């Protein structure tokens, strides 16, 4: 029984650690792409996009370094809204929810 508890903790902690490592990698890649001038700064993307979703609560962002797409997440009236933005141009590519 004593061996099962540490094993169970490892099984639970491994996916969390992997997700944390992926996020750290995405952040580093976004920082490097921004430093090289390949993508716009997140603050500029937010300055352009957040005001367009009046009445929605801005929850945060994810960055896909492979496609250079920022995905901004909002909440309005219980509905989640996802907005994909081209990190190079700042143009909205698609939006789900209203």
């Amino acid at each position: 029984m004593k061996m099962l508890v540490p094993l169970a903790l490892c099984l639970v902690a491994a996916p969390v650690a992997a997700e944390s490592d992926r996020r750290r990698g995405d952040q580093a890649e976004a920082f490097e792409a921004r430093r090289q001038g390949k993508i716009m700064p997140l603050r500029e993307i937010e300055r352009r996009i957040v005001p367009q979703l009046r009445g929605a609560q801005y929850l945060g962002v994810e960055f896909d370094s492979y496609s250079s797409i920022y995905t901004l997440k909002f909440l309005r009236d219980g509905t989640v809204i996802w907005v994909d933005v081209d990190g190079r141009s700042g143009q909205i590519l698609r939006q789900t929810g209203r």
Side-chain angles (χ1 to χ4, degrees):
M1 179 67 170
K2 290 181 183 179
M3 292 297 289
L4 292 178
V5 173
L7 178 61
L9 290 175
C10 289
L11 293 174
V12 170
V16 172
E19 178 67 17
S20 177
D21 289 344
R22 185 190 64 78
R23 282 192 185 140
R24 223 174 281 124
D26 284 349
Q27 289 174 350
E29 289 178 21
F31 176 81
E32 186 60 26
R34 168 62 191 114
R35 190 183 70 70
Q36 294 175 4
K38 294 179 180 177
I39 61 170
M40 298 174 68
L42 173 59
R43 298 299 167 233
E44 177 63 20
I45 297 288
E46 291 172 332
R47 186 186 68 74
R48 292 179 179 199
I49 304 303
V50 172
Q52 295 182 37
L53 281 100
R54 288 189 181 94
Q57 178 185 3
Y58 178 50
L59 300 176
V61 66
E62 292 183 13
F63 179 72
D64 180 352
S65 59
Y66 179 75
S67 63
S68 297
I69 293 176
Y70 289 99
T71 300
L72 284 71
K73 184 178 178 180
F74 296 85
L75 182 65
R76 181 188 295 139
D77 299 326
T79 301
V80 176
I81 303 166
W82 300 91
V83 180
D84 290 341
V85 180
D86 185 319
R88 295 173 292 262
S89 68
Q91 297 296 110
I92 294 177
L93 301 173
R94 65 190 146 269
Q95 178 177 330
T96 63
R98 296 273 175 210

